[in-house]
Amino acid sequence: MIQICNLKKYFGSNLILKDINLSIKKGEIFALVGHSGAGKSTLLRTINGLENYQDGSVKVFGKEIKSMQKSQLRDFRKKIGMIFQHFALMSRKTVFENIATPLRFWKYDKAYITSKVNELLQIVGLEDKANSYPSELSGGQKQRVAIARALALEPEILLSDEATSALDPNTTKSILELLKKINRELGITIVIVTHEMEVVKSVADRAVLLDGGVIVNEGSIQKLFLKPDKNMQKFLGEEAIVPENGVNIALYFPKEVAFDCVITNMARKLDKDFNIVWGKIEKLNDSVLGHLVINIKSEDKDCVLEYIKKTGVLWEIME
Ligand SMILES: Nc1ncnc2c1ncn2[C@@H]1O[C@H](COP(=O)(O)OP(=O)(O)O)[C@@H](O)[C@H]1O
Ligand SMILES: [Mg+2]
């Protein structure tokens, strides 16, 4: 649905996107992740033709964006909705009118607008707020209005630029649930830009990690988080503090074994002592991941590793 090949984008003489390659499938929730300044928003904006590019190709619905005429671009943008961190609502207009704006622009008739806006209010759970003004709404409600407006023209793709970054954790959760519902029930492909790992973990199917305009990691959420490589670890800021004596082993439990008693069984079978340095279990979209660091005596290393290899648990010696 979205195909980006060897994309290069400059602002003046600054190369901002350096040879980006990615492809997003219909029906996916895809995340562009990275720290501030990485180029996420710029990349997102090339997808709906809001940013030009100097080299490479950006194809959406099979069409090269650069080659579209103005009128083609206008029709094309109709199929892509967008939401932002600060909602971008019109403060002088009611919720109903905010949502109706794109429909009025495209000159739909009155009866259609009324029924469409009411349907959208229901989808986002704001049936009782049609006549309220943005200033009377909470942040989460404002984002719901923005989402309804983005869906007004029945887009095939929804672009979200840090849509939950201004919201508290619980509101973030409810907005992410809404995005998942929209993806599932309306079949809309969603591309989210975020610097928040929790967002990626809870909704995305796949992601790319951007750093300085370069894709430094990519893949399914399971792949990215199960055994984070150096780039992911750097982004996550996880610097483990571990004992200096003995051998530290990081263990990663894929969902199939996340709840197994691998470690206690190992202790019993091998009759070895070890320390649990730290551990956590977390939810990842619809599955769970476990992560544990243990410390063992140097002389036990070989037999412990031999045991672990048989269990299906992924491991890594921490240097
Ligand atoms: N309109 C612009 N003109 C010049 N430089 C820009 C413009 N927009 C963004 N940049 C620069 O491009 C880089 C990437 O910005 P951006 O895509 O907004 O990153 P992110 O969304 O990941 O925080 C930054 O260094 C930023 O300063
Ligand atoms: Mg940004």
Side-chain angles (χ1 to χ4, degrees):
M1 175 154 268
I2 300 170
Q3 197 90 36
I4 300 180
C5 291
N6 305 115
L7 170 68
K8 288 192 184 126
K9 157 84 188 164
Y10 290 84
F11 279 121
S13 58
N14 294 335
L15 183 56
I16 300 296
L17 299 175
K18 305 168 185 168
D19 202 26
I20 300 289
N21 289 284
L22 60 86
S23 98
I24 301 174
K25 293 177 230 153
K26 189 174 162 60
E28 261 191 316
I29 301 186
F30 193 96
L32 309 176
V33 190
H35 290 305
S36 174
K40 306 178 298 291
S41 296
T42 306
L43 180 55
L44 193 73
R45 288 160 56 84
T46 61
I47 293 175
N48 65 352
L50 287 173
E51 293 286 356
N52 64 355
Y53 45 99
Q54 284 72 34
D55 204 4
S57 155
V58 180
K59 282 187 184 165
V60 181
F61 311 126
K63 274 217 190 89
E64 183 69 40
I65 305 233
K66 213 161 29 179
S67 66
M68 286 185 205
Q69 311 285 333
K70 256 203 173 129
S71 65
Q72 273 179 311
L73 203 55
R74 218 175 63 145
D75 286 335
F76 161 78
R77 288 214 186 100
K78 207 177 159 187
K79 293 196 275 182
I80 304 186
M82 192 159 179
I83 54 174
F84 310 89
Q85 180 172 359
H86 296 296
F87 327 120
L89 301 178
M90 286 170 285
S91 57
R92 289 165 179 275
K93 288 191 174 178
T94 61
V95 165
F96 185 100
E97 279 308 318
N98 266 283
I99 300 171
T101 300
L103 296 162
R104 297 215 193 281
F105 177 85
W106 284 92
K107 305 214 171 355
Y108 284 88
D109 72 53
K110 240 179 156 176
Y112 177 80
I113 292 178
T114 305
S115 81
K116 188 71 197 173
V117 173
N118 285 328
E119 177 196 327
L120 290 164
L121 282 168
Q122 200 170 8
I123 290 173
V124 302
L126 291 179
E127 300 93 323
D128 55 340
K129 298 287 180 198
N131 298 316
S132 303
Y133 286 87
S135 61
E136 299 165 328
L137 304 178
S138 68
Q141 289 169 333
K142 285 182 199 168
Q143 195 57 285
R144 284 170 189 271
V145 177
I147 291 170
R149 180 182 58 187
L151 297 179
L153 299 171
E154 302 185 348
E156 292 180 44
I157 299 175
L158 179 64
L159 306 178
S160 165
D161 194 347
E162 305 276 10
T164 56
S165 298
L167 306 174
D168 64 64
N170 280 335
T171 312
T172 292
K173 246 187 217 165
S174 76
I175 294 294
L176 294 176
E177 282 308 316
L178 176 60
L179 292 179
K180 269 199 209 184
K181 178 177 115 173
I182 287 165
N183 169 256
R184 239 183 355 242
E185 292 176 12
L186 306 177
I188 296 176
T189 306
I190 301 182
V191 186
I192 48 175
V193 156
T194 183
H195 68 278
E196 296 172 302
M197 260 317 133
E198 288 312 312
V199 172
V200 185
K201 283 184 194 167
S202 55
V203 297
D205 299 309
R206 290 195 302 143
V208 294
L209 180 60
L210 272 177
D211 188 8
V214 179
I215 292 180
V216 293
N217 207 339
E218 61 182 299
S220 70
I221 297 307
Q222 271 76 8
K223 179 199 159 219
L224 290 173
F225 287 96
L226 177 57
K227 198 177 163 192
D229 74 351
K230 287 274 170 298
N231 287 323
M232 272 302 277
Q233 284 172 11
K234 184 177 148 209
F235 181 73
L236 295 168
E238 276 180 359
E239 237 185 285
I241 297 167
V242 291
E244 286 175 15
N245 299 326
V247 178
N248 296 299
I249 308 176
L251 302 170
Y252 305 93
F253 299 78
K255 60 174 183 278
E256 302 77 30
V257 294
F259 291 114
D260 289 359
C261 315
V262 175
I263 296 307
T264 47
N265 280 338
M266 179 171 83
R268 218 175 298 125
K269 289 235 170 79
L270 299 181
D271 196 21
K272 301 282 181 202
D273 285 327
F274 59 85
N275 289 316
I276 291 180
V277 180
W278 60 268
K280 68 177 176 189
I281 190 156
E282 60 186 350
K283 240 185 137 222
L284 196 59
N285 205 336
D286 291 324
S287 65
V288 286
L289 279 187
H291 187 181
L292 187 70
V293 176
I294 59 171
N295 177 271
I296 57 171
K297 293 192 194 108
S298 303
E299 62 262 32
D300 294 340
K301 182 175 159 187
D302 290 342
C303 76
V304 166
L305 287 182
E306 197 184 328
Y307 185 92
I308 290 170
K309 282 174 193 167
K310 285 187 255 167
T311 60
V313 173
L314 305 176
W315 59 275
E316 191 173 40
I317 304 281
M318 300 176 76
E319 304 293 352

